[in-house]
Coordinates of all heavy atoms in Angstrom, one line a residue:
Chain B
S133 N 1.4 4.0 -5.6 CA 1.3 3.6 -7.0 C 0.2 4.4 -7.7 O 0.2 4.5 -8.9 CB 0.9 2.1 -7.0 OG -0.3 1.8 -6.3
T134 N -0.7 5.0 -7.0 CA -1.7 5.9 -7.5 C -1.2 6.9 -8.6 O -1.8 7.1 -9.6 CB -2.4 6.8 -6.4 OG1 -2.7 5.9 -5.3 CG2 -3.6 7.6 -6.9
H135 N 0.0 7.5 -8.3 CA 0.6 8.5 -9.1 C 1.1 8.0 -10.4 O 1.4 8.8 -11.3 CB 1.7 9.2 -8.3 CG 1.3 9.7 -7.0 ND1 0.8 11.0 -6.8 CD2 1.1 9.1 -5.8 CE1 0.4 11.1 -5.5 NE2 0.6 10.0 -4.9
G136 N 1.1 6.7 -10.6 CA 1.5 6.1 -11.8 C 0.5 6.5 -13.0 O 0.9 6.4 -14.1
A137 N -0.7 6.9 -12.6 CA -1.6 7.3 -13.6 C -1.0 8.4 -14.5 O -1.5 8.6 -15.7 CB -2.9 7.8 -13.0
F138 N 0.0 9.1 -14.0 CA 0.6 10.2 -14.7 C 1.9 9.8 -15.4 O 2.8 10.6 -15.6 CB 0.9 11.4 -13.8 CG -0.3 12.0 -13.2 CD1 -1.0 11.5 -12.1 CD2 -0.9 13.1 -13.8 CE1 -2.2 12.0 -11.7 CE2 -2.1 13.7 -13.4 CZ -2.7 13.1 -12.3
A139 N 2.1 8.5 -15.7 CA 3.3 8.0 -16.2 C 4.5 8.3 -15.3 O 5.5 8.8 -15.7 CB 3.6 8.5 -17.6
C140 N 4.3 8.1 -14.0 CA 5.3 8.3 -13.0 C 5.7 6.9 -12.5 O 5.0 5.9 -12.6 CB 4.8 9.0 -11.8 SG 4.5 10.7 -12.1
L141 N 7.0 6.8 -12.1 CA 7.4 5.6 -11.4 C 7.2 5.9 -9.9 O 8.0 6.6 -9.3 CB 8.9 5.4 -11.7 CG 9.5 4.0 -11.5 CD1 8.7 3.0 -12.4 CD2 10.9 4.0 -11.9
A142 N 6.1 5.4 -9.4 CA 5.6 5.8 -8.1 C 5.6 4.6 -7.1 O 4.9 3.7 -7.4 CB 4.2 6.4 -8.2
H143 N 6.5 4.7 -6.1 CA 6.7 3.5 -5.2 C 6.2 3.8 -3.8 O 6.5 4.9 -3.3 CB 8.2 3.3 -5.0 CG 9.0 2.9 -6.2 ND1 9.6 3.8 -7.0 CD2 9.3 1.7 -6.8 CE1 10.3 3.2 -7.9 NE2 10.1 2.0 -7.9
G144 N 5.6 2.8 -3.2 CA 5.5 2.9 -1.7 C 6.8 2.4 -1.1 O 7.4 1.5 -1.7
I145 N 7.2 3.1 0.0 CA 8.4 2.7 0.6 C 8.3 2.6 2.1 O 7.3 3.1 2.7 CB 9.6 3.7 0.3 CG1 9.2 5.2 0.7 CG2 10.0 3.7 -1.1 CD1 10.2 6.2 0.5
G146 N 9.2 1.9 2.8 CA 9.2 1.8 4.2 C 9.9 3.0 4.9 O 10.4 3.9 4.2

Side-chain angles (χ1 to χ4, degrees):
Chain B
S133 58
T134 311
H135 306 265
F138 294 84
C140 290
L141 202 57
H143 299 92
I145 56 178

